[in-house]
Coordinates of all heavy atoms in Angstrom, one line a residue:
A1 N -3.0 -9.0 11.0 CA -3.7 -8.6 12.2 C -5.0 -8.0 11.9 O -6.0 -8.2 12.7 CB -2.8 -7.5 12.9
T2 N -5.2 -7.4 10.8 CA -6.5 -6.9 10.4 C -7.6 -8.0 10.3 O -8.7 -7.9 10.8 CB -6.5 -6.1 9.0 OG1 -5.5 -5.1 9.2 CG2 -7.8 -5.5 8.7
T3 N -7.2 -9.1 9.6 CA -8.1 -10.2 9.4 C -8.4 -10.8 10.8 O -9.6 -11.2 11.1 CB -7.5 -11.2 8.5 OG1 -7.2 -10.6 7.2 CG2 -8.4 -12.4 8.3
A4 N -7.4 -11.0 11.6 CA -7.6 -11.6 12.9 C -8.5 -10.8 13.8 O -9.4 -11.3 14.4 CB -6.2 -11.8 13.6
N5 N -8.4 -9.5 13.7 CA -9.3 -8.6 14.5 C -10.7 -8.7 14.0 O -11.7 -8.7 14.8 CB -8.8 -7.2 14.4 CG -7.6 -6.9 15.3 OD1 -7.4 -7.7 16.3 ND2 -6.8 -6.0 15.0
F6 N -10.9 -8.8 12.7 CA -12.2 -8.9 12.1 C -12.8 -10.2 12.6 O -14.0 -10.2 13.0 CB -12.1 -8.9 10.5 CG -13.4 -9.2 9.9 CD1 -14.3 -8.2 9.6 CD2 -13.8 -10.5 9.5 CE1 -15.6 -8.5 9.1 CE2 -15.0 -10.8 8.9 CZ -15.9 -9.8 8.7
L7 N -12.1 -11.3 12.5 CA -12.6 -12.6 13.0 C -13.0 -12.5 14.5 O -14.0 -13.0 14.9 CB -11.6 -13.7 12.7 CG -11.3 -14.0 11.3 CD1 -10.2 -15.1 11.1 CD2 -12.6 -14.5 10.5
H8 N -12.1 -12.0 15.3 CA -12.4 -11.9 16.7 C -13.6 -11.0 17.0 O -14.5 -11.3 17.8 CB -11.2 -11.3 17.5 CG -10.1 -12.3 17.7 ND1 -10.2 -13.4 18.4 CD2 -8.8 -12.3 17.2 CE1 -9.1 -14.1 18.4 NE2 -8.2 -13.4 17.7
N9 N -13.7 -9.8 16.4 CA -14.8 -8.9 16.6 C -16.1 -9.4 16.2 O -17.1 -8.9 16.7 CB -14.5 -7.5 15.9 CG -13.4 -6.8 16.6 OD1 -13.1 -7.0 17.8 ND2 -12.7 -5.9 15.9
N10 N -16.1 -10.3 15.2 CA -17.4 -10.9 14.7 C -17.6 -12.3 15.2 O -18.5 -13.0 14.6 CB -17.4 -10.8 13.2 CG -17.5 -9.3 12.8 OD1 -18.5 -8.7 12.8 ND2 -16.4 -8.8 12.3
N11 N -16.9 -12.7 16.2 CA -17.1 -14.1 16.8 C -17.0 -15.1 15.7 O -17.8 -16.1 15.7 CB -18.4 -14.1 17.6 CG -18.4 -13.2 18.7 OD1 -17.4 -13.1 19.5 ND2 -19.5 -12.5 18.9
L12 N -16.0 -15.1 14.9 CA -15.9 -16.0 13.8 C -14.6 -16.9 13.9 O -14.4 -17.7 13.0 CB -15.8 -15.3 12.4 CG -17.1 -14.5 12.1 CD1 -16.8 -13.6 10.8 CD2 -18.2 -15.5 11.8
T13 N -13.9 -16.8 15.0 CA -12.7 -17.5 15.1 C -12.9 -19.1 15.2 O -11.9 -19.8 14.9 CB -11.8 -17.1 16.4 OG1 -12.7 -17.2 17.5 CG2 -11.4 -15.6 16.2
D14 N -14.1 -19.5 15.6 CA -14.3 -20.9 15.6 C -14.8 -21.5 14.2 O -14.9 -22.7 14.0 CB -15.4 -21.2 16.7 CG -16.7 -20.6 16.5 OD1 -16.7 -19.5 15.8 OD2 -17.7 -21.0 16.9
K15 N -15.0 -20.6 13.3 CA -15.5 -21.0 12.0 C -14.5 -20.8 10.9 O -14.5 -21.4 9.8 CB -16.7 -20.1 11.6 CG -17.9 -20.4 12.6 CD -19.2 -19.8 12.0 CE -20.3 -19.8 12.9 NZ -20.5 -21.0 13.8
F16 N -13.5 -19.9 11.1 CA -12.5 -19.5 10.0 C -11.1 -19.5 10.6 O -10.9 -19.1 11.7 CB -12.8 -18.2 9.4 CG -14.1 -18.1 8.6 CD1 -15.3 -17.6 9.3 CD2 -14.2 -18.6 7.3 CE1 -16.5 -17.6 8.6 CE2 -15.4 -18.5 6.7 CZ -16.6 -18.0 7.3
K17 N -10.2 -19.8 9.8 CA -8.7 -19.7 10.1 C -8.1 -18.9 9.0 O -8.7 -18.6 7.9 CB -8.0 -21.0 10.2 CG -8.6 -21.9 11.3 CD -8.5 -21.3 12.6 CE -9.0 -22.2 13.7 NZ -9.3 -21.6 14.9
I18 N -6.9 -18.5 9.1 CA -6.2 -17.6 8.2 C -5.3 -18.4 7.3 O -4.5 -19.3 7.7 CB -5.4 -16.5 8.9 CG1 -6.3 -15.6 9.7 CG2 -4.5 -15.7 8.0 CD1 -5.6 -14.6 10.6
N19 N -5.4 -18.1 6.0 CA -4.5 -18.7 5.0 C -3.4 -17.7 4.7 O -3.6 -16.6 4.1 CB -5.3 -19.0 3.6 CG -4.4 -19.4 2.5 OD1 -3.6 -20.3 2.7 ND2 -4.5 -18.8 1.4
V20 N -2.2 -18.0 5.2 CA -1.1 -17.1 5.0 C -0.4 -17.4 3.6 O 0.0 -18.5 3.4 CB 0.0 -17.2 6.1 CG1 1.2 -16.3 5.8 CG2 -0.7 -16.8 7.4
E21 N -0.3 -16.4 2.8 CA 0.4 -16.5 1.5 C 1.7 -15.7 1.7 O 1.7 -14.5 1.8 CB -0.4 -16.0 0.4 CG -1.6 -16.9 0.1 CD -2.2 -16.8 -1.3 OE1 -1.4 -16.5 -2.2 OE2 -3.4 -17.1 -1.5
C22 N 2.8 -16.4 1.7 CA 4.1 -15.7 1.9 C 4.4 -14.6 1.0 O 4.9 -13.5 1.4 CB 5.2 -16.8 2.0 SG 5.1 -17.9 3.4
N23 N 4.2 -14.8 -0.3 CA 4.5 -13.7 -1.2 C 3.6 -12.5 -1.0 O 4.0 -11.4 -1.2 CB 4.5 -14.2 -2.7 CG 5.2 -13.2 -3.6 OD1 6.2 -12.8 -3.3 ND2 4.6 -13.0 -4.7
H24 N 2.4 -12.7 -0.6 CA 1.5 -11.6 -0.3 C 2.0 -10.8 0.9 O 1.9 -9.6 0.9 CB 0.0 -12.1 -0.1 CG -0.6 -12.7 -1.4 ND1 -1.9 -13.1 -1.4 CD2 -0.1 -12.9 -2.6 CE1 -2.2 -13.6 -2.6 NE2 -1.1 -13.4 -3.3
A25 N 2.5 -11.6 1.9 CA 3.1 -10.9 3.0 C 4.2 -10.0 2.6 O 4.3 -8.8 3.0 CB 3.5 -11.9 4.1
T26 N 5.1 -10.5 1.7 CA 6.2 -9.8 1.2 C 5.8 -8.5 0.5 O 6.3 -7.5 0.7 CB 7.1 -10.6 0.3 OG1 7.5 -11.8 1.1 CG2 8.3 -9.9 -0.1
L27 N 4.8 -8.7 -0.4 CA 4.3 -7.6 -1.2 C 3.7 -6.5 -0.3 O 3.7 -5.3 -0.7 CB 3.3 -8.1 -2.2 CG 3.9 -9.0 -3.3 CD1 2.8 -9.5 -4.2 CD2 4.9 -8.2 -4.2
S28 N 3.2 -6.9 0.9 CA 2.6 -5.9 1.8 C 3.6 -5.3 2.7 O 3.3 -4.5 3.6 CB 1.4 -6.4 2.5 OG 1.8 -7.4 3.4
G29 N 4.9 -5.7 2.6 CA 5.9 -5.1 3.5 C 6.2 -5.9 4.7 O 6.9 -5.4 5.6
H30 N 5.6 -7.1 4.9 CA 5.9 -8.0 6.0 C 6.7 -9.2 5.6 O 6.7 -9.5 4.5 CB 4.6 -8.4 6.7 CG 3.7 -7.3 7.1 ND1 2.3 -7.3 6.8 CD2 4.0 -6.1 7.7 CE1 1.8 -6.1 7.3 NE2 2.8 -5.4 7.8
S31 N 7.2 -9.9 6.6 CA 7.8 -11.1 6.3 C 6.8 -12.3 6.5 O 5.8 -12.1 7.2 CB 9.0 -11.4 7.3 OG 8.5 -11.6 8.6
C32 N 7.0 -13.3 5.8 CA 6.1 -14.5 6.0 C 6.2 -15.0 7.4 O 5.2 -15.3 8.0 CB 6.5 -15.6 5.0 SG 5.3 -17.0 5.1
E33 N 7.4 -15.0 8.0 CA 7.6 -15.4 9.4 C 6.7 -14.6 10.3 O 6.0 -15.1 11.2 CB 9.0 -15.3 9.8 CG 9.3 -15.9 11.2 CD 10.8 -15.8 11.5 OE1 11.6 -15.2 10.7 OE2 11.1 -16.3 12.6
H34 N 6.7 -13.3 10.1 CA 5.9 -12.4 11.0 C 4.4 -12.8 10.8 O 3.7 -12.9 11.8 CB 6.1 -10.9 10.5 CG 5.1 -10.0 11.1 ND1 5.1 -9.5 12.4 CD2 3.9 -9.5 10.5 CE1 4.1 -8.7 12.6 NE2 3.4 -8.7 11.5
E35 N 3.9 -13.0 9.6 CA 2.5 -13.3 9.4 C 2.1 -14.6 10.0 O 1.1 -14.7 10.6 CB 2.2 -13.3 7.9 CG 2.4 -12.0 7.2 CD 1.3 -10.9 7.6 OE1 0.2 -11.3 7.9 OE2 1.7 -9.8 7.7
L36 N 3.0 -15.6 9.9 CA 2.8 -16.9 10.5 C 2.7 -16.8 12.0 O 1.8 -17.4 12.6 CB 3.8 -17.9 10.1 CG 3.9 -18.4 8.7 CD1 5.0 -19.4 8.5 CD2 2.5 -19.0 8.3
K37 N 3.6 -16.1 12.6 CA 3.7 -15.9 14.1 C 2.4 -15.2 14.6 O 1.8 -15.6 15.6 CB 4.9 -15.2 14.5 CG 6.1 -16.0 14.5 CD 7.3 -15.2 15.0 CE 8.6 -16.1 15.0 NZ 9.8 -15.3 15.4
V38 N 2.0 -14.1 13.9 CA 0.8 -13.4 14.3 C -0.4 -14.3 14.2 O -1.2 -14.3 15.2 CB 0.6 -12.1 13.4 CG1 -0.8 -11.5 13.7 CG2 1.7 -11.1 13.7
A39 N -0.6 -15.0 13.2 CA -1.8 -15.9 13.1 C -1.7 -17.1 14.1 O -2.7 -17.4 14.7 CB -1.8 -16.5 11.6
S40 N -0.5 -17.6 14.3 CA -0.3 -18.7 15.2 C -0.6 -18.3 16.6 O -1.3 -19.0 17.4 CB 1.1 -19.3 15.0 OG 1.3 -20.3 15.9
I41 N 0.0 -17.2 17.0 CA -0.2 -16.7 18.4 C -1.7 -16.5 18.7 O -2.1 -16.8 19.8 CB 0.5 -15.3 18.6 CG1 2.0 -15.6 18.7 CG2 0.0 -14.6 19.9 CD1 2.9 -14.3 18.6
Q42 N -2.5 -16.2 17.8 CA -3.9 -16.0 18.0 C -4.7 -17.2 17.7 O -5.9 -17.2 17.8 CB -4.4 -14.8 17.1 CG -3.7 -13.5 17.4 CD -4.3 -12.3 16.7 OE1 -5.5 -12.2 16.7 NE2 -3.5 -11.5 16.2
G43 N -4.1 -18.3 17.4 CA -4.8 -19.6 17.2 C -5.5 -19.6 15.9 O -6.5 -20.3 15.8
L44 N -5.1 -18.8 14.9 CA -5.9 -18.7 13.7 C -5.1 -19.2 12.4 O -5.6 -19.0 11.3 CB -6.3 -17.2 13.5 CG -7.3 -16.7 14.5 CD1 -7.4 -15.2 14.3 CD2 -8.6 -17.4 14.4
L45 N -4.0 -19.8 12.6 CA -3.2 -20.3 11.5 C -3.9 -21.5 10.9 O -4.0 -22.5 11.5 CB -1.7 -20.6 11.9 CG -0.8 -21.1 10.8 CD1 -0.8 -20.0 9.6 CD2 0.6 -21.3 11.3
G46 N -4.3 -21.3 9.6 CA -5.0 -22.4 8.9 C -4.0 -23.0 7.9 O -3.4 -24.0 8.1
N47 N -3.9 -22.4 6.7 CA -3.1 -22.9 5.7 C -1.9 -22.0 5.5 O -2.0 -20.8 5.8 CB -3.9 -22.9 4.3 CG -4.9 -23.9 4.3 OD1 -4.9 -24.9 5.1 ND2 -5.9 -23.7 3.4
I48 N -0.9 -22.5 4.8 CA 0.3 -21.7 4.5 C 0.6 -22.0 3.0 O 0.7 -23.1 2.5 CB 1.5 -22.1 5.3 CG1 1.3 -22.1 6.8 CG2 2.7 -21.2 4.9 CD1 2.3 -22.7 7.6
D49 N 0.6 -20.9 2.2 CA 1.0 -21.0 0.8 C 2.4 -20.4 0.7 O 2.6 -19.2 0.7 CB 0.0 -20.2 0.0 CG 0.3 -20.3 -1.5 OD1 1.4 -20.8 -1.9 OD2 -0.5 -19.8 -2.3
I50 N 3.4 -21.3 0.9 CA 4.8 -20.8 1.0 C 5.4 -20.7 -0.4 O 6.0 -21.6 -0.9 CB 5.6 -21.8 1.8 CG1 5.1 -21.8 3.3 CG2 7.1 -21.3 1.9 CD1 5.9 -22.7 4.2
N51 N 5.1 -19.6 -1.0 CA 5.7 -19.3 -2.3 C 6.4 -18.0 -2.2 O 6.3 -17.2 -1.2 CB 4.7 -19.3 -3.4 CG 3.6 -18.3 -3.2 OD1 3.8 -17.3 -2.6 ND2 2.5 -18.5 -3.8
T52 N 7.2 -17.7 -3.2 CA 8.0 -16.4 -3.2 C 7.7 -15.7 -4.5 O 7.1 -16.3 -5.4 CB 9.5 -16.6 -3.0 OG1 10.0 -17.4 -4.1 CG2 9.8 -17.3 -1.7
G53 N 8.3 -14.6 -4.6 CA 8.2 -13.9 -5.9 C 9.3 -12.9 -5.9 O 10.2 -12.9 -5.1
D54 N 9.3 -12.0 -6.9 CA 10.4 -11.0 -7.0 C 9.8 -9.7 -6.4 O 8.9 -9.1 -7.0 CB 10.8 -10.8 -8.4 CG 11.9 -9.9 -8.6 OD1 12.1 -9.0 -7.7 OD2 12.5 -10.0 -9.7
P55 N 10.3 -9.3 -5.2 CA 9.7 -8.1 -4.6 C 9.8 -6.8 -5.5 O 9.1 -5.9 -5.3 CB 10.5 -7.9 -3.3 CG 11.7 -8.7 -3.5 CD 11.4 -9.8 -4.5
Q56 N 10.7 -6.8 -6.4 CA 10.8 -5.6 -7.3 C 9.8 -5.6 -8.4 O 9.5 -4.6 -9.0 CB 12.2 -5.6 -7.9 CG 13.3 -5.4 -6.9 CD 14.7 -5.3 -7.5 OE1 14.9 -5.5 -8.6 NE2 15.7 -5.0 -6.6
I57 N 9.2 -6.7 -8.7 CA 8.1 -6.8 -9.8 C 6.8 -6.2 -9.2 O 6.2 -5.5 -9.9 CB 7.9 -8.2 -10.3 CG1 9.2 -8.7 -11.0 CG2 6.7 -8.3 -11.2 CD1 9.1 -10.1 -11.5
G58 N 6.5 -6.6 -8.0 CA 5.3 -6.0 -7.4 C 4.0 -6.8 -7.5 O 2.9 -6.3 -7.3
W59 N 4.1 -8.1 -8.0 CA 2.9 -8.9 -8.0 C 3.3 -10.3 -7.7 O 4.5 -10.7 -7.7 CB 2.1 -8.8 -9.3 CG 2.8 -9.3 -10.5 CD1 3.0 -10.5 -11.0 CD2 3.4 -8.4 -11.5 NE1 3.7 -10.6 -12.1 CE2 4.0 -9.3 -12.5 CE3 3.6 -7.1 -11.7 CZ2 4.6 -8.8 -13.6 CZ3 4.3 -6.6 -12.8 CH2 4.8 -7.5 -13.7
D60 N 2.4 -11.2 -7.5 CA 2.6 -12.6 -7.0 C 2.9 -13.4 -8.2 O 2.2 -13.6 -9.2 CB 1.3 -13.1 -6.4 CG 1.5 -14.4 -5.7 OD1 2.5 -15.0 -5.8 OD2 0.5 -14.9 -5.1
T61 N 4.2 -14.0 -8.2 CA 4.7 -14.8 -9.3 C 4.7 -16.3 -9.0 O 5.1 -17.1 -9.8 CB 6.0 -14.3 -9.8 OG1 6.9 -14.3 -8.7 CG2 5.9 -12.9 -10.4
D62 N 4.3 -16.6 -7.8 CA 4.3 -18.1 -7.4 C 5.6 -18.8 -7.7 O 5.5 -19.9 -8.4 CB 3.1 -18.8 -8.0 CG 1.8 -18.3 -7.3 OD1 1.8 -18.0 -6.1 OD2 0.7 -18.3 -8.0
Q63 N 6.7 -18.4 -7.2 CA 7.9 -19.1 -7.4 C 8.2 -20.0 -6.2 O 7.7 -19.7 -5.1 CB 9.1 -18.1 -7.5 CG 8.9 -17.2 -8.8 CD 9.9 -16.1 -8.8 OE1 10.9 -16.1 -8.0 NE2 9.7 -15.1 -9.6
F64 N 8.9 -21.0 -6.3 CA 9.2 -21.9 -5.2 C 10.2 -21.3 -4.2 O 11.0 -20.5 -4.6 CB 9.9 -23.2 -5.7 CG 9.0 -24.1 -6.5 CD1 9.2 -24.2 -7.9 CD2 7.9 -24.7 -5.9 CE1 8.4 -25.0 -8.6 CE2 7.1 -25.5 -6.6 CZ 7.3 -25.7 -8.0
L65 N 10.0 -21.6 -3.0 CA 10.8 -21.1 -1.9 C 12.2 -21.8 -2.1 O 12.3 -23.0 -2.2 CB 10.2 -21.4 -0.5 CG 11.0 -21.0 0.7 CD1 11.1 -19.5 0.8 CD2 10.4 -21.5 1.9
T66 N 13.3 -21.0 -2.1 CA 14.6 -21.6 -2.4 C 15.6 -21.2 -1.2 O 16.8 -21.7 -1.3 CB 15.2 -21.0 -3.7 OG1 15.2 -19.6 -3.7 CG2 14.4 -21.5 -4.9
D67 N 15.2 -20.5 -0.2 CA 16.1 -20.1 0.9 C 15.9 -21.1 2.0 O 14.9 -21.1 2.7 CB 15.7 -18.7 1.3 CG 16.6 -18.2 2.4 OD1 17.4 -19.0 3.0 OD2 16.6 -17.0 2.7
P68 N 16.9 -22.0 2.2 CA 16.8 -23.0 3.3 C 16.6 -22.4 4.7 O 15.9 -22.9 5.5 CB 18.0 -23.8 3.2 CG 18.6 -23.5 1.9 CD 18.1 -22.2 1.5
S69 N 17.2 -21.3 5.0 CA 17.1 -20.7 6.3 C 15.7 -20.1 6.5 O 15.2 -20.2 7.6 CB 18.2 -19.7 6.6 OG 18.1 -18.6 5.7
E70 N 15.2 -19.5 5.5 CA 13.8 -19.0 5.6 C 12.8 -20.2 5.8 O 11.9 -20.1 6.6 CB 13.4 -18.2 4.4 CG 12.0 -17.6 4.6 CD 11.5 -16.8 3.4 OE1 12.2 -16.7 2.3 OE2 10.4 -16.2 3.5
A71 N 13.0 -21.2 5.0 CA 12.1 -22.4 5.2 C 12.2 -23.0 6.6 O 11.2 -23.4 7.1 CB 12.5 -23.5 4.1
T72 N 13.4 -23.0 7.1 CA 13.6 -23.5 8.5 C 12.8 -22.7 9.5 O 12.1 -23.2 10.4 CB 15.1 -23.6 8.8 OG1 15.7 -24.5 7.9 CG2 15.3 -24.1 10.3
R73 N 13.0 -21.3 9.4 CA 12.3 -20.4 10.3 C 10.8 -20.6 10.2 O 10.1 -20.6 11.2 CB 12.7 -19.0 10.0 CG 14.1 -18.6 10.4 CD 14.3 -17.1 10.4 NE 14.0 -16.5 9.1 CZ 14.7 -16.4 8.1 NH1 15.9 -16.9 8.0 NH2 14.2 -15.8 7.0
L74 N 10.2 -20.8 9.0 CA 8.8 -21.0 8.8 C 8.3 -22.3 9.4 O 7.3 -22.3 10.1 CB 8.4 -20.9 7.3 CG 8.8 -19.6 6.6 CD1 8.4 -19.7 5.1 CD2 8.1 -18.4 7.3
M75 N 9.1 -23.3 9.2 CA 8.7 -24.6 9.8 C 8.8 -24.6 11.3 O 8.0 -25.2 12.0 CB 9.6 -25.7 9.3 CG 9.3 -26.2 7.9 SD 7.5 -26.8 7.8 CE 7.5 -28.1 9.0
L76 N 9.7 -23.8 11.9 CA 9.8 -23.7 13.4 C 8.5 -23.1 13.9 O 8.1 -23.4 15.0 CB 11.0 -22.9 13.8 CG 12.3 -23.6 13.7 CD1 13.5 -22.7 13.9 CD2 12.4 -24.8 14.6
V77 N 7.9 -22.1 13.2 CA 6.7 -21.5 13.6 C 5.6 -22.6 13.7 O 4.8 -22.7 14.6 CB 6.2 -20.3 12.7 CG1 4.9 -19.8 13.1 CG2 7.3 -19.2 12.8
V78 N 5.5 -23.4 12.6 CA 4.5 -24.5 12.5 C 4.7 -25.5 13.6 O 3.8 -25.9 14.4 CB 4.5 -25.1 11.2 CG1 3.6 -26.4 11.1 CG2 4.2 -24.2 10.1
L79 N 6.0 -25.9 13.9 CA 6.3 -26.9 14.9 C 6.0 -26.3 16.3 O 5.6 -27.1 17.2 CB 7.7 -27.3 14.8 CG 8.0 -28.1 13.5 CD1 9.5 -28.4 13.4 CD2 7.2 -29.4 13.5
S80 N 6.2 -25.0 16.5 CA 6.0 -24.5 17.8 C 4.5 -24.4 18.2 O 4.2 -24.3 19.4 CB 6.6 -23.0 17.9 OG 5.8 -22.1 17.1
Q81 N 3.6 -24.6 17.3 CA 2.2 -24.6 17.6 C 1.7 -26.0 17.6 O 0.5 -26.3 17.7 CB 1.4 -23.7 16.7 CG 1.2 -24.3 15.3 CD 0.2 -23.5 14.5 OE1 -0.2 -22.4 14.9 NE2 -0.4 -24.2 13.5
G82 N 2.6 -27.0 17.5 CA 2.2 -28.4 17.7 C 2.2 -29.2 16.4 O 1.6 -30.3 16.4
G83 N 2.6 -28.6 15.3 CA 2.7 -29.5 14.2 C 2.5 -28.8 12.9 O 2.5 -29.2 11.9

């Protein structure tokens, strides 16, 4: 939401989109699904870096997503915005 507000307040939404990194969302206390929905609702979803990590370690370890239900929920967000 902070990045989206920055883009809106500075009239940059036609020049930039948001790259959602799922593990970064997790490390900041949000779910990747939440971050995708917020960016998508505002028309700012650009790229998705769907990786995971170990939330107990506290940094980005770039592990592959292995939870099929989470992967399905993330794809539903993408499909709901048209692709």
Side-chain angles (χ1 to χ4, degrees):
T2 302
T3 302
N5 286 334
F6 174 85
L7 294 175
H8 284 296
N9 289 336
N10 292 284
N11 298 315
L12 296 171
T13 56
D14 59 335
K15 299 191 185 324
F16 297 96
K17 299 296 179 197
I18 294 175
N19 173 50
V20 174
E21 294 205 24
C22 292
N23 196 44
H24 293 181
T26 303
L27 293 172
S28 67
H30 302 137
S31 70
C32 185
E33 184 179 6
H34 167 80
E35 296 293 324
L36 291 181
K37 284 182 178 179
V38 169
S40 180
I41 287 168
Q42 297 189 46
L44 294 173
L45 182 56
N47 290 340
I48 307 168
D49 184 353
I50 299 182
N51 60 26
T52 63
D54 185 337
Q56 294 182 355
I57 292 176
W59 64 79
D60 191 355
T61 56
D62 287 329
Q63 299 170 13
F64 292 111
L65 181 64
T66 58
D67 180 350
S69 64
E70 182 182 8
T72 301
R73 289 191 310 274
L74 300 178
M75 281 305 301
L76 286 172
V77 175
V78 173
L79 292 173
S80 73
Q81 72 168 19

